[in-house]
Amino acid sequence: MTHTDQTVRRALRREIAGTIGLLADEHDFHAMRRYRSFTLDDHATYLRQLEALLKARTRQGAHTTVALFDPQEYAEYCAAAGLDPDTAAGRTRFTAELAAHGPALPYDGQPLADLLPALVDEAVRQATWEYAAGALARLGTCATCGEDLGRAAFARAAHLLRRVLATAPPGHHHLVCSVTGHPETLLAVLTLDPDTDGTPHPDDAETLELTGLLALGLATHSPGGLVMRISTPGIPDRIHGWRLHGYGLTPLTAAEVFDAYCTDAESGDLFGPEPGVDYCPPPDLGDDSPPPGHHH
């Protein structure tokens, strides 16, 4: 091989984007050990060496996407595609699919201990959205007016979210929507940082996810709520809240907001209020009448 060939190949390697499937916990790691071609035997060593590999690729200027590798989904993928799961080729094909459709994040040099929870959160976000979207699609049409129930609920949720954001005080906004009973509590988060003129600019994906979950709660009349935290330099953070009620949002009193925000979701125990935070009733949403269409 000539020097020119080596130079070209090195240049081409820098142009290749890579994807690595990450086995996040020991349970998933040991599930893969049933395959003889998977020769790794210690999860801690695996994580340490994987982090070293990721950092080395970053130093070389290579881009790497890290995807969450689920052994059960991998086995199902191989069965559906007619692939032998006990091969490195099968694992790399599945990982390539994850990069396109599964929970994945770009690696930018952070410690793996920081990337792991972010990757798990991304997986939960994606699963929540897929569940909400699928549940809305399965609602069908209204027997009374023929309206598509899922589409009508999504439009109603989008209308309510616009009113919440339009009436919110200026600042950094952090919204959390929770809906219970599907079969467990589902959460969606929306964070908005204001532009220089004070106009909030929501992330499109987060907006879609929160609207979808809010729509699911409205359409199924499930217990749930929406909490918004507003942070503005120089003044205490303010926390407002609403509960899902009927086909709309009912404002929480200051005491109800305090109870909702200062109660452990699992144990039900109260914990002390956060210093520098005001628990307040929300602003008036104004005309909250449903738009034309299904609302009965």
Side-chain angles (χ1 to χ4, degrees):
M1 184 184 297
T2 67
H3 176 71
T4 300
D5 291 337
Q6 291 176 339
T7 302
V8 171
R9 289 192 180 184
R10 280 197 297 268
L12 287 174
R13 275 196 291 268
R14 290 194 295 269
E15 302 298 320
I16 298 173
T19 303
I20 292 178
L22 173 62
L23 295 161
D25 56 43
E26 288 199 32
H27 178 270
D28 288 346
F29 182 84
H30 285 293
M32 292 302 294
R33 291 195 63 201
R34 70 178 181 266
Y35 302 120
R36 295 181 63 183
S37 62
F38 186 82
T39 58
L40 305 170
D41 59 7
D42 180 75
H43 188 243
T45 302
Y46 159 81
L47 291 177
R48 186 170 60 253
Q49 294 300 324
L50 181 59
E51 181 169 353
L53 174 61
L54 289 168
K55 288 183 179 297
R57 286 179 53 83
T58 300
R59 287 194 299 269
Q60 295 163 4
H63 173 82
T64 310
T65 297
V66 181
L68 201 61
F69 195 107
D70 184 293
Q72 182 177 344
E73 291 182 3
Y74 170 62
E76 294 170 355
Y77 169 81
C78 288
L83 299 174
D84 180 1
D86 198 359
T87 61
R91 292 191 289 274
T92 55
R93 282 187 59 173
F94 177 65
T95 300
E97 289 286 330
L98 287 177
H101 307 292
L105 292 173
Y107 180 77
D108 57 11
Q110 71 269 51
L112 208 54
D114 294 338
L115 180 65
L116 268 172
L119 194 55
V120 172
D121 286 347
E122 180 66 19
V124 172
R125 280 182 54 194
Q126 182 169 318
T128 299
W129 162 245
E130 290 175 353
Y131 178 87
L136 288 171
R138 290 190 296 270
L139 290 176
T141 57
C142 176
T144 301
C145 66
E147 183 83 14
D148 184 290
L149 295 174
R151 187 177 296 117
F154 193 90
R156 174 63 172 158
H159 166 76
L160 290 172
L161 181 58
R162 285 194 297 270
R163 294 303 306 150
V164 166
L165 297 179
T167 57
H172 168 90
H173 301 81
H174 182 81
L175 292 91
V176 179
C177 178
S178 62
V179 174
T180 61
H182 289 273
E184 57 189 22
T185 299
L186 302 175
L187 297 174
V189 176
L190 173 60
T191 301
L192 301 93
D193 289 308
D195 205 344
T196 53
D197 62 356
T199 304
H201 290 280
D203 178 83
D204 290 342
E206 289 187 354
T207 302
L208 185 66
E209 291 159 6
L210 189 140
T211 305
L213 184 58
L214 179 57
L216 178 62
L218 295 172
T220 57
H221 301 286
S222 300
L226 181 67
V227 173
M228 177 170 61
R229 180 172 184 148
I230 304 106
S231 301
T232 307
I235 63 173
D237 285 4
R238 287 151 293 170
I239 298 177
H240 308 307
W242 299 260
R243 73 166 54 89
L244 274 62
H245 180 73
Y247 211 48
L249 296 172
T250 297
L252 299 178
T253 65
E256 288 172 328
V257 174
F258 175 87
D259 288 344
Y261 212 80
C262 299
T263 302
D264 185 275
E266 295 184 359
S267 68
D269 295 335
L270 287 174
F271 50 86
E274 188 177 346
V277 171
D278 289 338
Y279 303 91
C280 320
D284 186 357
L285 295 181
D287 182 12
D288 189 35
S289 58
H294 174 88
H295 53 82
H296 44 265

